[in-house]
Structures are given as C-alpha cells and as structure tokens.
Amino acid sequence: MGFGFSLNPMGKVVKIISEWQPDGCNTEKDFERSLLEELRLQMPGVSIQQQYGAARQRVDIVVSKKVAIELKKNLKTTGEYQRALGQLDHLVEDWEFVIIVICGFVDGDLLQSLKKHAAKHDASNLLVPGKSIEVMVKNNEEPSSERTENNHR
C-alpha cells in the first residue's frame, strides 16, 4: 500500500476522482466500472472492491476497507435526492470515509442541499478524528432530452 494512501486515504481517493475523466459512460454501472478501472490503475497494490457488502448495505466501491464510494447517476428529482440522502445516512453509520460521486445531470439546488446534509456528518475540519464525507460531481451535463430539444430549434 502506498505511503501517501495510508497517511491520507480520503485525500488520495478524492484527488484521483477529481482527475478521473468518465468518457463514454451512459449508465451508473458504466461510471462505476470506469472509476474502478481508474482507481486500480492509480493505486496498484491497494485493495479495491466493487459492490462490497457491509452491514445492511452494498457499497459501489470500497478502497482498502477504509473509503466507501457511492456513485449516483443524475441528481435532478426529489426522489433521486431522497435516495441519495438515505444512502448517505446509512453509509456514515458504518464508514469513517464516505464519498458520494454524482455523474450526469445535477440540479444545483438539490446538490447544495445534499452537501449541506453531508456537512452535518463531516468532522474532517475538526481537530478530533471523525467522519469525513465528500460530495463530488463528475460529467455534469444537461439531460439528453433537453439537449435534443435544443438542437431541433
């Protein structure tokens, strides 16, 4: 395991996700596979598992049994937001490091609400050790139906 990862596992994974380019992904599974490949490429020798079963939930990707990563395709409806909130709440009960990655179209208001909710659990800015939660957005774009309508005008 790399020295940088063992000192700051969350920071290393966040950096890799920030630089990750999920080109050609259409489904949540596509994004998951693409990120899994990128993590394995960037962190050889580190245990990276897909669809990790823990406690009463499944986590999309787990890095070294320390960092839980949940990917969501789009955050544009109240239903998608409520599901993301529920998953976040369950993840922070069982994991110290949690990253929610939203791929595709993201409603700005829903994103801000999700980040505000995550901040309630995040203790990474405190001097005492605690939970560290990150909400990230990748590949933010218009929904395909809106893009199609705009192209026909």
Side-chain angles (χ1 to χ4, degrees):
M1 184 178 321
F3 185 68
F5 178 80
S6 60
L7 283 179
N8 183 4
M10 183 76 158
K12 176 71 173 170
V13 175
V14 166
K15 182 179 185 308
I16 291 169
I17 294 171
S18 295
E19 296 170 355
W20 166 55
Q21 298 297 315
D23 297 324
C25 296
N26 295 312
T27 67
E28 192 170 308
K29 269 292 171 216
D30 291 343
F31 285 107
E32 185 179 317
R33 277 188 286 260
S34 175
L35 179 56
L36 185 68
E37 285 176 24
E38 186 67 19
L39 290 166
R40 287 181 172 156
L41 178 70
Q42 297 295 327
M43 295 190 299
V46 174
S47 170
I48 302 170
Q49 296 175 288
Q50 185 177 20
Q51 292 298 317
Y52 183 85
R56 57 193 180 280
Q57 69 206 356
R58 274 208 156 324
V59 180
D60 288 335
I61 299 172
V62 170
V63 180
S64 194
K65 295 188 180 178
K66 292 183 180 192
V67 181
I69 304 169
E70 183 64 34
L71 286 97
K72 307 292 336 141
K73 172 75 166 49
N74 298 331
L75 183 65
K76 59 185 177 181
T77 68
T78 303
E80 290 166 340
Y81 169 74
Q82 292 295 332
R83 281 189 294 282
L85 276 183
Q87 284 183 300
L88 175 62
D89 286 343
H90 285 295
L91 287 170
V92 298
E93 288 178 16
D94 299 319
W95 296 89
E96 184 177 357
F97 303 112
V98 176
I99 303 172
I100 305 289
V101 183
I102 305 165
C103 305
F105 178 76
V106 177
D107 176 278
D109 292 337
L110 294 176
L111 176 62
Q112 289 309 313
S113 293
L114 184 61
K115 285 184 173 186
K116 187 176 179 181
H117 185 80
K120 293 177 186 175
H121 297 289
D122 188 14
S124 63
N125 57 350
L126 303 175
L127 295 177
V128 287
K131 304 286 183 186
S132 184
I133 296 104
E134 186 80 28
V135 177
M136 304 178 73
V137 175
K138 293 301 289 188
N139 201 32
N140 190 14
E141 56 188 45
E142 293 181 296
S144 57
S145 60
E146 286 182 23
R147 203 171 31 242
T148 303
E149 285 176 26
N150 291 336
N151 290 339
H152 292 294
R153 288 185 184 160

